[in-house]
């Protein structure tokens, strides 16, 4: 279950952040990570002051959170630090083991790591009150079946935080990204906004809100493919395994330029407009019908 390594790492780093009253020094491996973190915060991620993993998706100690395709565990760790009970799954055992080691160090009420392809999920009906599946559905052969499983294990009234790459970004990368980026284990599905919403609603969920995010990452990926080809790099295998630092100097220059731009007066409005025009990620917040607690 893939997403860019730099993005995974910065999300994990920021999930450790304390409320604003506490000063914490964060060390970054690259300008890409630093800029990506700041861009994410401005885009609505990791709201420690309101305990929201993303704006409109609050986490409390009473919640049972399922993070399907947990990857490096950024979402799981944020929820664990809010005191929630966390269940995290991935098809790769090493990722589940790594996240499990980190969750132990948090204030999670309970935790459980599962190695699974999610068809079916080894969980009872109506298990979770919060369900997270970020950048997962584009990788799987049966996205509707995955969504059906997520619906099954959600409690009545459960909230869902779902994301897939935006069609605009995916189509822009065709011909620039290597062909393998659109083959397994990478992106075998490209969802239009309408198709994504239809799949979510087809599973029985009610769409609560929709968001776009990540203009910075769209251009970052375009520059990544271009500079990599110029350097004669091989792009075989899972894309997320290819994206770790050190990054090309041109990528780092782009990160510094973007940070300076969004830090200007009016930079926040520019970021919002560009995120809407050419997002890397499309997000749906959804709800399972029913009254919470009425499992």
């Amino acid at each position: 279950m893939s997403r860019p390594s730099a993005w995974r790492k910065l999300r994990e780093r920021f999930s450790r952040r304390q409320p604003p009253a506490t000063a914490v020094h964060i060390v970054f491996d690259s300008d890409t990570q630093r800029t990506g973190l700041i861009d994410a915060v401005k885009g609505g991620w990791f709201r420690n002051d309101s305990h929201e993993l993303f704006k409109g998706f609050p986490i409390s100690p009473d919640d049972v959170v399922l993070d399907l395709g947990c990857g490096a565990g950024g979402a799981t760790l944020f929820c664990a630090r809010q005191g929630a009970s966390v269940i995290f799954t991935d098809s790769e055992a090493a990722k589940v083991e790594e996240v499990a080691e980190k969750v132990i160090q948090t204030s999670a009420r309970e935790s459980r790591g599962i190695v699974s392809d999610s068809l079916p999920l080894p969980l009872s009906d109506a298990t979770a009150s919060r369900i997270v599946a970020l950048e997962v559905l584009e990788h799987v052969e049966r996205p509707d079946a995955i969504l059906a499983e997520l619906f099954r294990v959600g409690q009545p009234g459960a909230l869902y935080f779902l994301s897939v790459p935006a069609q605009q970004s995916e189509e822009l990368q065709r011909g620039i990204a290597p062909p393998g980026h659109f083959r397994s284990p990478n992106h075998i599905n490209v969802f239009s906004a309408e198709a994504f919403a239809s799949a979510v609603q087809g599973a029985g969920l009610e769409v609560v809100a929709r968001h776009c995010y990540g203009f910075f990452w769209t251009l970052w990926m375009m520059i990544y493919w271009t500079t990599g080809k110029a350097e004669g790099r091989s792009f075989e295998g899972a894309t997320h395994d290819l994206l770790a630092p050190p990054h090309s100097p041109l990528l780092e220059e782009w990160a510094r330029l973007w940070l300076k731009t969004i830090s200007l007066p009016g930079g926040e409005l520019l970021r919002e407009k560009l995120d809407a025009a050419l997002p890397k990620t499309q997000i749906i917040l959804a709800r399972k019908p029913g009254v919470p607690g009425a499992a």
Side-chain angles (χ1 to χ4, degrees):
M1 307 301 186
S2 306
R3 59 191 77 122
S5 296
W7 174 225
R8 283 181 164 182
K9 288 183 178 180
L10 69 89
R11 288 199 314 190
E12 179 184 337
R13 287 177 183 277
F14 194 67
S15 69
R16 300 174 185 169
R17 201 183 60 150
Q18 300 300 313
T22 303
V24 177
H25 179 63
I26 301 177
V27 178
F28 296 99
D29 296 331
S30 67
D31 287 317
T32 287
Q33 289 182 352
R34 180 169 183 265
T35 297
L37 168 57
I38 294 171
D39 187 68
V41 175
K42 290 180 179 292
W45 293 83
F46 311 121
R47 296 186 165 191
N48 284 280
D49 53 347
S50 59
H51 308 285
E52 293 172 294
L53 174 60
F54 186 79
K55 56 188 176 184
F57 194 79
I59 305 296
S60 80
D62 295 329
D63 281 314
V64 177
V65 180
L66 168 63
D67 183 7
L68 184 142
C70 63
T76 293
L77 291 170
F78 179 93
C79 297
R81 291 186 174 93
Q82 312 312 308
S85 174
V86 293
I87 304 168
F88 45 97
T89 80
D90 203 281
S91 59
E92 298 182 36
K95 287 184 169 59
V96 174
E97 292 170 2
E98 291 171 5
V99 175
E101 292 176 359
K102 296 168 185 173
V103 169
I104 291 174
Q105 304 172 37
T106 72
S107 54
R109 178 162 50 87
E110 294 179 307
S111 66
R112 179 183 175 190
I114 301 172
V115 180
S116 173
D117 68 358
S118 303
L119 290 175
L121 282 164
L123 297 170
S124 301
D125 294 357
T127 293
S129 60
R130 298 286 186 271
I131 293 179
V132 179
L134 305 179
E135 311 295 290
V136 170
L137 298 176
E138 69 272 20
H139 295 277
V140 299
E141 294 183 359
R142 300 171 60 197
D144 290 347
I146 295 290
L147 285 168
E149 275 296 277
L150 293 180
F151 180 89
R152 179 184 68 80
V153 301
Q155 298 173 4
L159 286 179
Y160 290 70
F161 178 16
L162 311 169
S163 78
V164 296
Q167 184 181 28
Q168 303 97 304
S169 174
E170 294 287 87
E171 296 301 340
L172 191 62
Q173 291 183 68
R174 289 192 187 276
I176 296 177
H181 183 62
F182 294 100
R183 294 197 297 257
S184 183
N186 297 311
H187 298 184
I188 62 174
N189 303 309
V190 176
F191 294 89
S192 68
E194 294 76 16
F196 185 29
S198 178
V200 171
Q201 292 168 331
L205 299 171
E206 301 170 349
V207 174
V208 174
R210 300 175 70 172
H211 301 276
C212 290
Y213 169 77
F215 172 82
F216 166 71
W217 289 108
T218 295
L219 263 66
W220 194 95
M221 288 302 303
M222 301 291 286
I223 297 169
Y224 171 80
W225 298 126
T226 303
T227 56
K229 287 180 180 179
E231 295 166 358
R233 292 189 58 183
S234 171
F235 295 116
E236 297 299 321
T239 296
H240 70 82
D241 291 335
L242 306 174
L243 300 177
H247 299 126
S248 159
L250 189 56
L251 284 170
E252 298 292 75
E253 287 179 21
W254 161 238
R256 290 191 291 270
L257 174 62
W258 181 244
L259 181 56
K260 289 178 181 178
T261 302
I262 62 176
S263 300
L264 292 170
E268 178 62 15
L269 178 59
L270 175 63
R271 185 197 61 76
E272 291 176 0
K273 293 289 188 180
L274 291 174
D275 273 3
L278 192 55
K280 178 68 173 67
T281 296
Q282 52 180 324
I283 293 168
I284 286 180
L285 301 183
R287 185 185 303 276
K288 183 173 181 175
V291 178

